[in-house]
Amino acid sequence: MQDGKRQGGKGAVYQVMCPDTGRIGVVWVPDGEPAPAQPAVDPEVLARRAVDPMLLDGPDVASPRPGGKYTVGVSMWLWVNQGENTYGPATATASAGNVTVTATAEVTSIRWTMGDGTSVACAGPGTPYRGSQSMADSPDCGHRYTRTGSGRPGERFPLTATSTWTITWEVSAGEPAGDAGEWTETRDSTIGVRVGEVQVLN
């Protein structure tokens, strides 16, 4: 799209809108030149077309494990596996006519809804737990349950991890050169977490 700066002389300002995305641009056309034709394709439409085959999915939760048993009051480390379609980055292109758009999708945050009325917001994938870390808290993404899952279906808390994907795109070939943008999408994964109390033997 041409820029909207008036270069001098007489003319008219045209507002150009893409109905598919709602994006609006302004074009200055001097007198004697034809009004701008409707663009053949909006680059953001191409960007969304590039993203569709990526099959962006919810988090691949590594911890807590669905079959694991966890203890009240003990730090639970939260982390995810980083696959291309579950965490990114994933990159793809789409073309129409002489325009090519490159889009990149990557998870920028994960919100863990723990099922006990609390939630945890984490900026990254979390840190994997190692046995040598004993009872330490996770350095970046963790939670402590204060009660058991007793009385809930399967004695488990329903945990939902919601990832926010940030998709950035730019025109990599053709016009309008330099056009770029971004949007976000969310994806969910849900598991059951079994939480009990420490059993002490006399």
Side-chain angles (χ1 to χ4, degrees):
M1 179 177 294
Q2 303 171 37
D3 67 38
K5 293 182 179 179
R6 177 172 174 166
Q7 302 299 323
K10 295 182 178 181
V13 174
Y14 290 85
Q15 188 177 72
V16 181
M17 183 183 74
C18 175
D20 291 332
T21 63
R23 295 206 314 143
I24 298 174
V26 176
V27 178
W28 165 257
V29 179
D31 284 349
E33 293 188 11
Q38 183 171 340
V41 63
D42 185 299
E44 187 172 329
V45 173
L46 281 184
R48 293 180 183 275
R49 189 181 302 171
V51 170
D52 286 344
M54 293 181 185
L55 302 178
L56 304 181
D57 206 351
D60 179 8
V61 178
S63 175
R65 304 184 314 277
K69 297 180 180 179
Y70 301 90
T71 304
V72 168
V74 176
S75 179
M76 175 185 289
W77 290 41
L78 307 170
W79 79 89
V80 300
N81 298 313
Q82 299 177 61
E84 185 175 9
N85 70 323
T86 60
Y87 196 84
T91 300
T93 62
S95 299
N98 66 343
V99 179
T100 298
V101 171
T102 299
T104 300
E106 186 169 15
V107 171
T108 49
S109 66
I110 299 176
R111 177 170 292 277
W112 301 76
T113 303
M114 305 305 299
D116 61 351
T118 65
S119 63
V120 180
C122 300
T127 301
Y129 175 81
R130 305 293 180 226
S132 60
Q133 286 146 333
S134 187
M135 304 285 282
D137 289 336
S138 167
D140 54 4
C141 193
H143 179 66
R144 290 178 187 267
Y145 283 98
T146 59
R147 61 182 186 276
T148 71
S150 177
R152 297 174 178 273
E155 306 292 305
R156 299 173 186 272
F157 288 102
L159 179 151
T160 299
T162 302
S163 58
T164 296
W165 287 87
T166 297
I167 298 98
T168 58
W169 61 268
E170 63 178 353
V171 175
S172 49
E175 297 290 339
D179 200 3
E182 71 173 44
W183 74 88
T184 60
E185 299 182 4
T186 59
R187 299 290 189 276
D188 295 335
S189 297
T190 300
I191 63 172
V193 182
R194 186 175 179 183
V195 180
E197 294 179 329
V198 174
Q199 300 297 317
V200 179
L201 300 177
N202 295 325

